[in-house]
Amino acid sequence: AEIGFLDALGRRLDACQTQEDLEPIFQDVVRAVSRVFEDRRTAGVVLDSTGLDTLLQDMGRALLRFSGEDVELPPRAQRCNPLRLYLVTEVYMSGGHSRMLEDFIAAVPSARHVVIFSDLFARQGGAQEAIRQIESRGAPVVVVNEETFVLRSLRLVRYLKEYQPDICILFNHHQD
């Protein structure tokens, strides 16, 4: 079933003519991964998929091609302290991602830390108290609030180009 689904998405991707054509494919991938993640029978079986990885990379290349986004990075200024960029879906006060993120920030106080929330679930990055706690550790927080998956993805590409982190650490949910 996985192969048929991925093949069908791949054919839809091949048929895309514009950036806007990509949005329904992004939505279907998020829905499918959400369903897989919520179905306990698939634990440890489905998300380790070479086919899905290939499809997502192809979607990213198509997005950049249609958007005209320049993928060349400008020269980066020399830094005294490394920049650690964290891409996060959302956080909760009692969540594991929140605590780990705080630990990662505290573990390297000499580094500059920036936290970007994808806000996949449209909840402003999660618990505002948890976000304030992260900010209190000296890490600026950015919440991506574009309306579509395509626009959010492009915004994330622009942030990666802008910040040019030395290290990028993911604290994302599977659907993200």
Side-chain angles (χ1 to χ4, degrees):
E2 173 193 345
I3 301 302
F5 172 72
L6 293 176
D7 286 345
L9 284 175
R11 285 191 299 277
R12 286 174 52 202
L13 180 61
D14 291 342
C16 287
Q17 299 295 311
T18 67
Q19 176 179 310
E20 290 74 23
D21 295 339
L22 294 170
E23 184 63 24
I25 298 171
F26 274 71
Q27 291 172 359
D28 287 347
V29 168
V30 169
R31 273 193 294 272
V33 173
S34 293
R35 249 182 274 141
V36 166
F37 183 69
E38 292 165 3
D39 185 345
R40 296 197 181 279
R41 296 171 296 169
T42 63
V45 177
V46 177
L47 293 178
D48 185 19
S49 166
T50 312
L52 182 58
D53 290 346
T54 300
L55 175 69
L56 294 174
Q57 291 172 24
D58 289 346
M59 289 169 64
R61 280 189 283 279
L63 178 63
L64 292 174
R65 184 176 64 250
F66 289 136
S67 72
E69 188 72 38
D70 183 14
V71 293
E72 294 296 318
L73 293 175
R76 185 175 76 185
Q78 192 67 18
R79 291 188 177 121
C80 296
N81 298 325
L83 172 60
R84 297 168 65 106
L85 185 89
Y86 304 89
L87 293 175
V88 183
T89 303
E90 64 182 11
V91 290
Y92 310 98
M93 277 310 293
S94 60
H97 287 169
S98 311
R99 299 289 81 78
M100 286 182 61
L101 188 52
E102 288 184 56
D103 287 347
F104 272 60
I105 293 168
V108 188
S110 62
R112 191 169 147 229
H113 305 272
V114 175
V115 180
I116 298 177
F117 289 93
S118 70
D119 198 33
L120 175 71
F121 304 116
R123 295 188 279 235
Q124 297 301 307
Q128 294 305 300
E129 189 176 342
I131 292 173
R132 284 191 296 276
Q133 180 68 22
I134 291 164
E135 289 174 321
S136 75
R137 300 225 177 249
V141 168
V142 177
V143 177
V144 176
N145 58 5
E146 275 68 15
E147 292 181 17
T148 68
F149 293 125
V150 166
L151 294 177
R152 286 179 188 191
S153 299
L154 288 172
R155 173 63 59 204
L156 289 171
V157 167
R158 291 179 191 123
Y159 281 138
L160 287 170
K161 285 173 51 179
E162 175 187 340
Y163 287 110
Q164 295 186 34
D166 297 287
I167 298 170
C168 186
I169 300 169
L170 303 177
F171 284 100
N172 61 301
H173 291 82
H174 294 294
Q175 304 91 314
D176 211 1

